[in-house]
Amino acid sequence: MTEKIRLVDDNGIRTDGRKLDELRPIKLEAGVLSNADGSAYIEQGKNKILAAVYGPREVHPRHLALPDRALLRCRYHMAPFSVQERKSPAPSRREIELSKVIREALEPAIFLERFPRTAIDLFIEVLQADGGTRVAGITVASLALADAGIPMRDIVAACAAGKADGYILLDLNDLEDKEGEADVPVAYMPSLNRVGLLQMDGQLTPEEFEKAFNLAIEGCKKIYALQKQALKAKYLAIKEAVEETGQK
Amino acid sequence: MSEVRSSGHFVVPGEKLGVIEEFIPNSGTYVDDGYIYSSRIGYVLIDFANKKISVYPAARNISVPKVNSIVIGWVTNVQDSHATIRIIRIGRKFLSGFFTGVIHIADVSRRYVDNMYDAFRIGDLVRAKVISNKNNTYHLSTKEDNLGAIYAFCSQCGDLLIKRRILKCMACGSIEKRKTASDYGRAPL
């Protein structure tokens, strides 16, 4: 290393041309897979993630079934071709942990107690990764759950904030995540005003942390609006198609 | 968050629909801290006469077997005292997956059944009623006239059995016994 990479220039513009509090461009789509009960797809900058939901269905192996609620099983997985260097397709320590935190971020949003002794299986497949895949994974997963018709308290939106070059930034990309000083992923339920996931990697002062946290919440609210729009787009399209065929 | 007050409005889970003082929360909604929220994707349905508010589902409607629901399934295993049923349909809805249920020999018919193999065979399509979900199992019964096998297959050659007074295979002439439903062979699927 000869010189440290500059992540934010003198005008407050980041390496990918964004402002400090700007999200990457997001494309969200619900109901993209025909064989799953519910599905969704997200492109957030260079991230491309697919989520599929099955269930509520019978639990196998049977001893895992819970007598009072549904079992939410979550698999976060990165495709071997999702990163520069080929990633082994076997679940890594990191993927197992992310599966757990994603599950725990989504569990409070779902009415699991309405489907005792069943399982809801959630698959999050990262096709292309560029930083912030855990939060993008939560964003698509909750869209897929809603698309599957699973009763929910709220849609979960997730977004990260962090610190790089001394600036507090919204929605870090891979470079800012790796070279920056800190990363704060947050999952948030906007209409209930509840946080489902809060992690921190790196070092921040209490003031910086609060600033980053608030910035992430603002990002979540923007993402929530996009999630609502994506669901609306799918179901209103269906409604129009039905009405058109009805008129013929 | 803006409150939604008109019928037919598209909502997603978590959208505020009103307060409990105005409406009785009905299907597709839930109450938290005095507010009524939507719990699914759908269209708001307000019944002003009865002061009820519900969300008409736009996404898939989920079905799981409940006590008293009528289910249809394949017989996957028959033992001396039990038959195992793979439930593929609940009420009028086909499942995307399946659930497993069990019929005990005592719940097959109102009459005494000596041998389970005289009631069901592997591959039969059976209509049954869920009588219990105790012990992590769906217990089914076919103790009514309209319950029992609706399509059954010959144990010798696998052809569909035809019911006149007796169950007979038209391909090989074998005569078989089943607990059949009153509309055997005529049930629409």
Side-chain angles (χ1 to χ4, degrees):
Chain A
M1 276 273 233
T2 48
E3 198 185 327
K4 209 177 164 293
I5 311 160
R6 288 208 60 190
L7 297 168
V8 181
D9 72 9
D10 297 330
N11 304 320
I13 299 296
R14 298 200 243 165
T15 48
D16 51 7
R18 283 186 290 158
K19 285 182 239 140
L20 300 179
D21 60 347
E22 196 179 337
L23 288 168
R24 285 173 282 185
I26 296 175
K27 192 190 129 194
L28 265 168
E29 203 179 330
V32 289
L33 303 173
S34 57
N35 291 339
D37 292 329
S39 60
Y41 176 65
I42 190 173
E43 282 179 17
Q44 182 168 7
K46 286 182 200 155
N47 284 327
K48 292 182 180 176
I49 306 172
L50 201 52
V53 171
Y54 290 86
R57 62 179 178 182
E58 202 162 77
V59 192
H60 286 286
R62 288 282 282 275
H63 71 269
L64 294 175
L66 303 168
D68 57 337
R69 63 197 149 98
L71 177 72
L72 180 64
R73 286 189 288 200
C74 176
R75 188 181 100 126
Y76 166 96
H77 183 249
M78 292 174 87
F81 49 81
S82 64
V83 277
Q84 289 254 309
E85 189 107 358
R86 178 183 181 274
K87 190 212 148 282
S88 158
S92 62
R93 190 205 65 80
R94 176 179 169 275
E95 284 167 293
I96 295 165
E97 181 188 320
L98 289 192
S99 300
K100 175 190 172 283
V101 299
I102 291 171
R103 190 189 75 227
E104 287 175 353
L106 294 168
E107 262 173 348
I110 307 171
F111 286 100
L112 291 171
E113 63 278 11
R114 293 197 190 170
F115 306 103
R117 290 188 285 270
T118 62
I120 297 170
D121 290 310
L122 170 62
F123 299 91
I124 297 167
E125 201 65 30
V126 180
L127 305 178
Q128 186 170 291
D130 186 44
T133 52
R134 83 188 63 187
V135 283
I138 293 171
T139 303
V140 256
S142 69
L143 210 61
L145 286 164
D147 181 54
I150 290 164
M152 288 162 78
R153 290 182 179 84
D154 200 353
I155 290 174
V156 187
C159 186
K163 186 184 170 195
D165 274 3
Y167 293 94
I168 301 295
L169 306 176
L170 181 65
D171 191 15
L172 305 184
N173 63 26
D174 195 39
L175 185 70
E176 290 163 343
D177 191 15
K178 288 208 172 85
E179 304 296 329
E181 286 105 290
D183 177 25
V184 182
V186 177
Y188 178 64
M189 286 176 267
S191 25
L192 302 180
N193 194 25
R194 275 165 62 174
V195 171
L197 167 79
L198 178 58
Q199 294 182 307
M200 186 170 87
D201 179 18
Q203 287 185 333
L204 291 175
T205 64
E207 294 75 34
E208 282 172 337
F209 172 76
E210 202 173 324
K211 199 177 164 197
F213 176 70
N214 290 330
L215 193 62
I217 294 284
E218 287 311 309
C220 289
K221 286 180 181 165
K222 285 179 199 157
I223 289 172
Y224 177 69
L226 295 170
Q227 287 176 306
K228 256 165 83 170
Q229 220 175 57
L231 287 173
K232 213 166 180 167
K234 184 197 165 184
Y235 287 97
L236 291 186
I238 291 174
K239 198 186 174 198
E240 276 164 23
V242 169
E243 281 165 354
E244 253 173 51
T245 48
Q247 280 164 8
K248 273 173 196 167
Chain B
M1 223 131 289
S2 68
E3 291 185 20
V4 188
R5 289 187 181 275
S6 58
S7 273
H9 194 99
F10 181 84
V11 288
V12 298
E15 275 192 78
K16 210 178 267 181
L17 303 175
V19 292
I20 45 170
E21 285 85 354
E22 314 175 79
F23 299 110
I24 300 163
N26 214 337
S27 67
T29 68
Y30 72 95
V31 176
D32 186 49
D33 200 23
Y35 289 100
I36 304 170
Y37 297 90
S38 166
S39 68
R40 59 185 172 206
I41 305 172
Y43 302 96
V44 180
L45 220 59
I46 302 176
D47 181 353
F48 282 106
N50 299 310
K51 293 267 175 221
K52 278 181 179 168
I53 192 159
S54 55
V55 176
Y56 183 80
R60 184 175 75 109
N61 215 346
I62 290 166
S63 51
V64 288
K66 292 192 178 69
V67 172
N68 285 332
S69 49
I70 301 290
V71 300
I72 290 177
W74 298 105
V75 177
T76 53
N77 191 27
V78 183
Q79 287 173 333
D80 288 344
S81 62
H82 294 97
T84 312
I85 309 290
R86 175 170 288 196
I87 299 165
I88 55 162
R89 191 172 123 159
I90 300 167
R92 288 150 149 239
K93 258 192 67 70
F94 279 95
L95 298 170
S96 58
F98 62 86
F99 286 94
T100 310
V102 161
I103 307 181
H104 188 258
I105 192 161
D107 298 318
V108 168
S109 171
R110 278 186 293 247
R111 293 161 64 177
Y112 175 71
V113 179
D114 187 45
N115 189 346
M116 198 62 182
Y117 303 98
D118 289 342
F120 301 117
R121 294 279 180 132
I122 291 175
D124 292 356
L125 197 58
V126 172
R127 186 191 294 124
K129 189 184 198 169
V130 181
I131 51 171
S132 156
N133 56 11
K134 298 271 161 64
N135 304 323
N136 283 337
T137 321
Y138 293 110
H139 295 275
L140 311 177
S141 165
T142 52
K143 263 187 182 176
E144 285 169 37
D145 289 344
N146 63 332
L147 303 178
I150 50 175
Y151 290 98
F153 300 92
C154 176
S155 56
Q156 305 295 318
C157 68
D159 217 52
L160 184 68
L161 295 170
I162 304 296
K163 187 184 181 187
R164 294 287 175 259
R165 268 183 12 263
I166 47 164
L167 272 178
K168 193 176 174 187
C169 172
M170 292 305 171
C172 70
S174 153
I175 291 166
E176 308 229 346
K177 279 186 178 172
R178 293 288 194 282
K179 161 62 175 111
T180 54
S182 51
D183 60 345
Y184 176 87
R186 289 177 280 119
L189 272 183

